C-alpha cells in the first residue's frame, strides 16, 4: 500500500541519500615495464655502441684550411684547381687577393651555425666552396679530424641496453 511504501522509504532514507557506487579496475603498462624481460647479448650491445660511438663522444676537433675572398670567381678558380689535384696552398699562391689560414676548431668555436655545420660535415681532404657567409666567400678543405673523447662502453652499457630493449 501507499502507507507501507512511505514507511519503507522513510526507514531507508539514509540509503537513498548516498550516491550510487561503481568500481572500475584499470591495468596500465608501458614498454618500460617489459625492458627487463628483453635479453640483449653483450656482443649486440658492443656492436650498437660502436655504431653509435659519436653519440657517446665529446665534440670532435677539426683542422682545416680556409680560403676567404670578396670575389667568388677567384675562390672558384682555386677550388677547381684543388679538385683537379693541385694542393690548396699551391693553387692559392697563383691567385692574388685570397686569404689562406689553417684553423683548429671544435663545433662551438665557429659562431656562424650554418658555416659550422658546413665545415663539420665535410670529409678529410675534400675541397668545398665557395660558400657565402655574410659578405665573404669561403672555401674549405678539412685536413684532419680528431674524434672527441668517448665515454667508456661500461659507463653507457645500461643506458644502451634500455634503449635497445625499448
Amino acid at each position: 500500500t501507499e502507507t507501507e511504501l512511505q514507511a519503507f522509504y522513510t526507514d531507508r532514507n539514509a540509503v537513498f541519500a548516498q550516491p550510487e557506487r561503481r568500481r572500475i579496475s584499470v591495468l596500465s603498462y608501458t614498454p618500460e615495464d617489459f625492458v627487463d624481460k628483453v635479453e640483449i647479448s653483450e656482443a649486440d650491445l658492443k656492436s650498437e655502441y660502436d655504431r653509435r660511438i659519436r653519440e657517446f663522444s665529446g665534440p670532435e676537433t677539426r683542422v682545416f684550411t680556409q680560403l676567404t675572398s670578396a670575389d667568388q670567381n677567384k675562390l672558384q678558380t682555386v677550388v677547381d684547381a684543388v679538385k683537379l689535384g693541385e694542393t690548396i696552398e699551391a693553387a692559392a699562391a697563383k691567385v692574388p687577393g685570397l686569404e689562406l689560414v689553417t684553423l683548429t676548431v671544435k663545433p662551438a668555436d665557429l659562431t656562424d651555425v650554418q658555416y659550422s655545420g658546413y665545415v663539420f660535415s665535410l670529409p678529410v681532404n675534400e675541397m668545398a666552396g665557395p660558400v657565402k657567409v655574410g659578405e665573404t666567400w669561403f672555401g674549405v678543405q678539412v685536413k684532419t679530424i680528431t674524434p672527441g673523447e668517448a665515454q667508456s662502453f661500461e659507463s653507457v652499457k645500461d643506458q644502451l641496453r634500455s634503449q635497445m630493449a625499448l
Side-chain angles (χ1 to χ4, degrees), residues 4 12 17 22 28 70 79 81 94 99 108 122 133 143-144 160 165:
E4 291 173 332
R12 291 176 173 72
R22 294 182 184 196
S28 81
V79 170
K94 294 177 186 175
E99 185 178 333
L122 293 173
V133 178
K143 297 294 186 179
T144 63
L160 197 55

Side-chain angles (χ1 to χ4, degrees), residues 3 8 32 34-35 52 62 87 96 101 130:
T3 307
F8 179 80
E32 287 82 6
F34 299 98
V35 167
R52 294 171 47 189
R62 289 191 173 216
T87 67
V101 294

Side-chain angles (χ1 to χ4, degrees), residues 5 9 42 94 120 152:
L5 191 57
Y9 176 76
E42 206 59 29
K94 294 177 186 175
F120 281 84
S152 70

Side-chain angles (χ1 to χ4, degrees), residues 24 29 33 36 43 55 59 90 95 97 101 103 134 154 156-157 164:
I24 184 169
Y29 55 91
D33 295 325
D36 59 335
E55 290 178 39
V95 180
V101 294
L103 302 169
E154 291 300 320
V156 298
K157 184 168 57 171
M164 288 177 70

Side-chain angles (χ1 to χ4, degrees), residues 2 4 11 14 20 31 35 38 42-43 49 63 65 68 71 91 96 98-99 108 110-111 114 133 146 154 156:
E2 187 66 32
E4 291 173 332
D11 289 345
E20 181 178 344
V35 167
V38 177
E42 206 59 29
Y49 171 78
V63 177
T65 302
T68 56
D71 185 347
L98 295 176
E99 185 178 333
L110 298 173
T111 56
Q114 185 177 0
V133 178
T146 306
E154 291 300 320
V156 298

Side-chain angles (χ1 to χ4, degrees), residues 28-71:
S28 81
Y29 55 91
T30 64
E32 287 82 6
D33 295 325
F34 299 98
V35 167
D36 59 335
K37 307 231 184 303
V38 177
E39 292 191 28
I40 301 171
S41 72
E42 206 59 29
D44 288 343
L45 279 173
K46 181 67 171 140
S47 174
E48 184 71 5
Y49 171 78
D50 292 341
R51 189 180 70 75
R52 294 171 47 189
I53 189 72
R54 292 182 103 184
E55 290 178 39
F56 306 114
S57 299
E60 65 186 29
T61 302
R62 289 191 173 216
V63 177
F64 68 97
T65 302
Q66 171 183 279
L67 281 169
T68 56
S69 176
D71 185 347

